[in-house]
Amino acid sequence: MDFHVFDTYVKAKDGHTMHFDVVTDTNDVEKAISFAKEWLKTIGEESSTVTTNECKFCHTQSVPEDMEIEIMTDGYSISKMEGCPN
């Protein structure tokens, strides 16, 4: 199964940039933005701005089984790239 990757860059409260991918089974940028905001809330960054300027469709790909299970369970998976908490 193929999944859709949305490349996302947001400013954290302290001003540094967080780069992460929102991976989902739906090619819908508004849903990806909603998922990004949901995840940001879990790391205490709910005030970060996420719009179509910060979150853009990048490509479609297959994913490892553990990520696929997370997407099927939660609707999305976050792939942390740079500046994200562990």
Side-chain angles (χ1 to χ4, degrees):
M1 182 172 189
D2 286 335
F3 294 90
H4 309 287
V5 179
F6 293 83
D7 201 26
T8 309
Y9 292 84
V10 299
K11 288 276 188 213
K13 288 184 273 198
D14 68 3
H16 83 278
T17 299
M18 292 185 292
H19 176 203
F20 58 92
D21 288 340
V22 178
V23 186
T24 182
D25 61 349
T26 307
N27 191 358
D28 178 343
V29 70
E30 293 303 324
K31 238 188 175 73
I33 289 169
S34 175
F35 292 143
K37 288 178 178 179
E38 185 177 311
W39 178 72
L40 287 164
K41 193 179 292 185
T42 70
I43 62 165
E45 293 287 349
E46 59 275 354
S47 61
S48 296
T49 300
V50 188
T51 68
T52 53
N53 292 325
E54 291 79 24
C55 183
K56 299 176 192 251
F57 175 76
C58 185
H59 63 276
T60 301
Q61 68 178 42
S62 60
V63 299
E65 185 177 355
D66 59 330
M67 187 181 273
E68 185 171 347
I69 291 167
E70 185 177 3
I71 294 166
M72 291 300 134
T73 303
D74 300 333
Y76 70 98
S77 179
I78 299 296
S79 181
K80 301 173 190 173
M81 311 295 267
E82 300 170 275
C84 298
N86 292 333

